Amino acid sequence: MTEHALFGAGCFWCVEAVFQNLKGVEKVVSGYAGGRIANPTYKEVCSGLTGHNEVIDIAFDPAVISYKELLEIFWKTHDPTTLNRQGNDVGTQYRSGVYYYSDEQKQLAEGYKQKLNDGHAFPNPIVTEITAAPTFYPAENYHQNYFNLHGHEPYCQFVAKPKVDKVKALFGEKLKEGVA
């Protein structure tokens, strides 16, 4: 049975690339959530005025990869200590967020965040918001599967590729067969 996870961790091109090659991940869709208007456009979200976050919706098979494993990858592939920022990407649309669909997802996310803060896993406290999943709006088609289609572009090479490489190094056993 397919479940869903909804994460915000900076530019959705990068976050999508981190999760889409994992065993058990059936589909990753880039989109927007958490704002004040319905059906926002990329331009509107980039203005910072909508309150939306760039997020990814992950459809996954919990018999193959657990929500807890997805959380581990989420926490280890972005900086959850910078408010409204990931690297040079600045604005509320780049905030770190876990948007849960069930009490179990909420408990796992809050517990993991607490464990990381208690263990001083990062030099600064984690600012990741953990809230009930708001309405998800898929992004325009040209944002989907972006890294795989445009991995040669400078932004992808300098920002997304290091995250993808980190997943390969840390979680290689979780990658789908044939992923180099």
Side-chain angles (χ1 to χ4, degrees):
M1 190 172 117
T2 301
E3 291 186 21
H4 286 265
L6 191 63
F7 297 145
C11 169
F12 50 28
W13 299 340
C14 302
V15 188
E16 175 190 66
V18 161
F19 288 94
Q20 68 187 161
N21 291 319
L22 298 170
K23 289 182 215 169
V25 170
E26 297 166 1
K27 187 173 184 182
V28 180
V29 178
S30 292
Y32 317 108
R36 294 179 288 282
I37 64 170
N39 301 306
T41 65
Y42 182 65
K43 185 176 180 181
E44 289 170 331
V45 172
C46 285
S47 76
L49 300 176
T50 67
H52 280 287
N53 193 6
E54 288 191 15
V55 297
I56 55 156
D57 176 72
I58 305 168
F60 68 100
D61 179 349
V64 179
I65 190 164
S66 69
Y67 186 74
K68 191 172 182 179
E69 289 172 300
L70 293 174
L71 281 172
E72 179 183 12
I73 294 164
F74 166 81
W75 295 112
K76 289 184 177 175
T77 54
H78 80 292
D79 181 353
T81 68
T82 53
L83 188 63
N84 301 327
R85 171 184 210 120
Q86 285 299 305
N88 290 327
D89 293 330
V90 179
T92 56
Q93 69 270 29
Y94 301 117
R95 66 189 179 270
S96 176
V98 174
Y99 307 100
Y100 56 84
Y101 288 104
S102 67
D103 285 339
E104 180 186 16
Q105 285 188 354
K106 177 183 180 184
Q107 290 168 357
L108 287 168
E110 289 178 344
Y112 209 122
K113 179 179 175 180
Q114 187 66 47
K115 179 180 158 188
L116 291 172
N117 273 330
D118 289 349
H120 305 286
F122 297 96
N124 297 307
I126 293 171
V127 296
T128 303
E129 63 184 9
I130 299 174
T131 61
T135 302
F136 172 76
Y137 300 99
E140 297 83 349
N141 284 339
Y142 68 91
H143 291 297
Q144 308 304 329
N145 199 30
Y146 196 88
F147 179 75
N148 288 334
L149 297 173
H150 304 279
H152 61 282
E153 292 181 3
Y155 182 88
C156 289
Q157 285 294 304
F158 291 108
V159 182
K161 188 175 184 307
K163 292 174 185 277
V164 171
D165 290 344
K166 187 172 187 178
V167 169
K168 289 177 182 177
L170 292 176
F171 305 103
E173 76 285 353
K174 295 184 188 320
L175 293 175
K176 294 175 181 170
E177 284 188 39
V179 175

